[in-house]
Amino acid sequence: MYYFSLILRLKRFYTSHTTAADMTWHHEHIKEDGVMRHPSDSEAWKNFNESHSFFADEPRNVRLGLCTDGFQPFIQSGRKYSSWPVIVTPYNLPSGMCMKEAYMFLTVIVPGPNNPKHKIDVYLQPLIKELTLLWETSVEAFDISKKQNFQSRAV
Protein backbone atom coordinates (compact mmCIF):
# COMPACT_ATOMS: atom_id res chain seq x y z
CA MET A 1 0.00 0.00 0.00
CA TYR A 2 1.13 3.54 -0.76
CA TYR A 3 -0.19 6.58 1.08
CA PHE A 4 0.19 10.24 0.09
CA SER A 5 -0.62 12.80 2.79
CA LEU A 6 -3.85 14.71 2.28
CA ILE A 7 -3.21 17.51 4.79
CA LEU A 8 -0.10 18.80 3.02
CA ARG A 9 -1.91 18.98 -0.31
CA LEU A 10 -4.94 20.74 1.16
CA LYS A 11 -2.68 23.32 2.81
CA ARG A 12 -0.95 23.85 -0.54
CA PHE A 13 -4.26 24.95 -2.08
CA TYR A 14 -4.26 27.97 0.21
CA THR A 15 -0.62 28.88 -0.40
CA SER A 16 -1.15 29.10 -4.16
CA HIS A 17 -2.35 32.34 -5.75
CA THR A 18 -3.99 30.20 -8.43
CA THR A 19 -6.34 28.27 -6.11
CA ALA A 20 -6.60 30.08 -2.75
CA ALA A 21 -9.45 32.41 -3.73
CA ASP A 22 -11.31 29.59 -5.52
CA MET A 23 -11.40 27.51 -2.31
CA THR A 24 -14.23 29.72 -0.96
CA TRP A 25 -16.20 29.71 -4.22
CA HIS A 26 -18.79 27.27 -2.81
CA HIS A 27 -19.70 29.87 -0.17
CA GLU A 28 -19.79 32.91 -2.45
CA HIS A 29 -21.46 31.75 -5.66
CA ILE A 30 -25.08 32.64 -6.41
CA LYS A 31 -27.38 29.64 -6.23
CA GLU A 32 -30.43 29.36 -8.48
CA ASP A 33 -33.48 27.90 -6.78
CA GLY A 34 -34.30 24.45 -8.07
CA VAL A 35 -31.11 24.11 -10.12
CA MET A 36 -28.22 21.98 -8.90
CA ARG A 37 -24.98 22.71 -10.73
CA HIS A 38 -22.59 21.92 -7.90
CA PRO A 39 -22.78 19.83 -4.69
CA SER A 40 -23.03 23.10 -2.72
CA ASP A 41 -26.47 23.66 -4.31
CA SER A 42 -27.84 20.44 -2.78
CA GLU A 43 -30.14 19.99 0.19
CA ALA A 44 -27.57 17.69 1.81
CA TRP A 45 -25.01 20.54 1.80
CA LYS A 46 -27.56 22.93 3.37
CA ASN A 47 -28.55 20.36 6.01
CA PHE A 48 -24.91 19.76 6.85
CA ASN A 49 -24.37 23.52 7.27
CA GLU A 50 -27.31 23.72 9.65
CA SER A 51 -26.21 20.68 11.67
CA HIS A 52 -22.53 21.67 11.87
CA SER A 53 -22.47 25.44 12.01
CA PHE A 54 -18.99 25.46 13.59
CA PHE A 55 -17.75 23.96 10.32
CA ALA A 56 -19.92 26.02 7.96
CA ASP A 57 -18.98 29.34 9.61
CA GLU A 58 -15.47 29.12 8.11
CA PRO A 59 -15.84 29.08 4.28
CA ARG A 60 -12.24 27.87 3.89
CA ASN A 61 -13.04 24.53 5.56
CA VAL A 62 -12.80 21.81 2.94
CA ARG A 63 -15.51 19.41 1.84
CA LEU A 64 -14.21 16.28 0.22
CA GLY A 65 -15.47 13.50 -1.98
CA LEU A 66 -13.83 10.06 -2.03
CA CYS A 67 -13.92 7.37 -4.69
CA THR A 68 -12.13 4.15 -5.51
CA ASP A 69 -12.26 1.52 -8.20
CA GLY A 70 -9.90 -1.26 -9.14
CA PHE A 71 -8.46 -2.20 -12.47
CA GLN A 72 -6.13 -4.81 -13.94
CA PRO A 73 -3.33 -3.05 -15.82
CA PHE A 74 -1.76 -6.20 -17.30
CA ILE A 75 -4.81 -8.24 -18.24
CA GLN A 76 -3.47 -9.17 -21.69
CA SER A 77 -0.21 -10.59 -20.36
CA GLY A 78 -2.10 -13.31 -18.50
CA ARG A 79 -0.75 -12.25 -15.09
CA LYS A 80 -3.35 -11.66 -12.42
CA TYR A 81 -2.67 -8.30 -10.81
CA SER A 82 -4.85 -5.40 -9.77
CA SER A 83 -4.46 -1.88 -8.49
CA TRP A 84 -6.98 0.07 -6.39
CA PRO A 85 -6.46 3.84 -6.35
CA VAL A 86 -8.33 5.95 -3.77
CA ILE A 87 -8.98 9.49 -5.02
CA VAL A 88 -10.08 12.46 -2.91
CA THR A 89 -11.65 15.54 -4.51
CA PRO A 90 -12.22 18.92 -2.82
CA TYR A 91 -15.73 20.20 -3.54
CA ASN A 92 -14.94 23.77 -2.47
CA LEU A 93 -13.74 24.59 -5.96
CA PRO A 94 -15.99 25.84 -8.78
CA SER A 95 -17.69 23.11 -10.79
CA GLY A 96 -15.36 23.72 -13.73
CA MET A 97 -12.35 22.96 -11.52
CA CYS A 98 -13.33 20.37 -8.91
CA MET A 99 -13.59 17.49 -11.38
CA LYS A 100 -10.37 18.28 -13.24
CA GLU A 101 -7.50 15.84 -12.90
CA ALA A 102 -5.20 18.50 -11.44
CA TYR A 103 -7.48 18.89 -8.40
CA MET A 104 -8.08 15.20 -7.70
CA PHE A 105 -5.70 13.75 -5.12
CA LEU A 106 -4.42 10.23 -5.53
CA THR A 107 -4.25 9.45 -1.81
CA VAL A 108 -3.97 5.67 -1.48
CA ILE A 109 -2.85 2.97 -3.90
CA VAL A 110 -3.67 -0.58 -2.89
CA PRO A 111 -1.70 -3.05 -5.02
CA GLY A 112 -3.17 -6.44 -5.92
CA PRO A 113 -3.30 -9.25 -6.80
CA ASN A 114 -6.68 -9.46 -5.07
CA ASN A 115 -9.66 -7.19 -4.58
CA PRO A 116 -9.24 -5.43 -1.19
CA LYS A 117 -12.98 -5.04 -0.58
CA HIS A 118 -12.98 -7.19 2.57
CA LYS A 119 -10.03 -5.30 4.07
CA ILE A 120 -10.56 -1.80 2.64
CA ASP A 121 -10.85 -0.34 6.15
CA VAL A 122 -7.28 -1.48 6.88
CA TYR A 123 -5.96 0.25 3.77
CA LEU A 124 -7.87 3.45 4.51
CA GLN A 125 -6.58 3.80 8.11
CA PRO A 126 -3.95 6.50 7.35
CA LEU A 127 -6.53 8.54 5.43
CA ILE A 128 -9.13 8.11 8.18
CA LYS A 129 -6.55 9.22 10.76
CA GLU A 130 -5.88 12.45 8.82
CA LEU A 131 -9.58 13.09 8.22
CA THR A 132 -10.29 12.60 11.92
CA LEU A 133 -7.56 15.10 12.78
CA LEU A 134 -8.98 17.59 10.28
CA TRP A 135 -12.50 17.19 11.67
CA GLU A 136 -11.86 17.05 15.41
CA THR A 137 -8.77 19.21 15.91
CA SER A 138 -8.04 21.17 12.71
CA VAL A 139 -4.64 22.17 11.35
CA GLU A 140 -3.13 25.61 10.91
CA ALA A 141 -2.92 26.82 7.32
CA PHE A 142 -1.98 30.08 5.62
CA ASP A 143 -4.39 31.68 3.13
CA ILE A 144 -2.33 33.70 0.63
CA SER A 145 -5.44 35.41 -0.80
CA LYS A 146 -6.34 36.92 2.60
CA LYS A 147 -2.74 36.96 3.91
CA GLN A 148 -3.68 35.32 7.21
CA ASN A 149 -3.43 32.06 9.11
CA PHE A 150 -6.57 30.09 9.91
CA GLN A 151 -7.57 26.75 11.43
CA SER A 152 -8.50 24.43 8.58
CA ARG A 153 -10.94 21.57 8.92
CA ALA A 154 -12.19 19.04 6.41
CA VAL A 155 -15.02 16.59 6.08
Side-chain angles (χ1 to χ4, degrees):
M1 180 191 87
Y2 302 94
Y3 182 73
F4 308 101
S5 175
L6 178 65
I7 291 173
L8 297 175
R9 289 186 278 173
L10 291 176
K11 289 170 83 170
R12 212 169 294 136
F13 267 136
Y14 288 102
T15 59
S16 166
H17 288 285
T18 307
T19 54
D22 288 325
M23 287 298 286
T24 58
W25 177 88
H26 68 97
H27 183 74
E28 298 160 357
H29 85 282
I30 311 268
K31 300 169 177 83
E32 288 183 46
D33 288 336
V35 179
M36 190 172 121
R37 292 193 170 98
H38 186 271
S40 64
D41 298 333
S42 71
E43 285 299 316
W45 194 291
K46 293 173 196 166
N47 290 338
F48 183 85
N49 283 350
E50 291 169 7
S51 302
H52 302 89
S53 60
F54 73 93
F55 186 88
D57 289 343
E58 173 56 79
R60 294 174 289 194
N61 285 335
V62 185
R63 294 159 192 253
L64 301 167
L66 182 139
C67 66
T68 186
D69 194 12
F71 64 96
Q72 291 183 328
F74 308 115
I75 195 159
Q76 292 184 358
S77 70
R79 294 185 62 198
K80 187 176 179 182
Y81 188 83
S82 67
S83 183
W84 288 77
V86 176
I87 298 169
V88 175
T89 305
Y91 287 140
N92 291 41
L93 296 167
S95 45
M97 291 174 73
C98 70
M99 290 301 166
K100 299 274 191 217
E101 184 178 339
Y103 304 107
M104 294 183 180
F105 302 139
L106 177 61
T107 308
V108 179
I109 300 175
V110 181
N114 299 320
N115 181 337
K117 67 183 173 186
H118 299 295
K119 298 178 187 172
I120 194 73
D121 59 322
V122 173
Y123 296 112
L124 292 178
Q125 282 181 358
L127 177 60
I128 292 168
K129 185 177 179 181
E130 276 194 308
L131 290 172
T132 302
L133 173 69
L134 285 164
W135 175 254
E136 293 177 352
T137 309
S138 76
V139 294
E140 187 174 35
F142 180 75
D143 184 347
I144 193 82
S145 68
K146 298 194 187 311
K147 296 181 178 34
Q148 67 183 27
N149 287 329
F150 71 101
Q151 289 304 119
S152 178
R153 294 181 181 271
V155 65

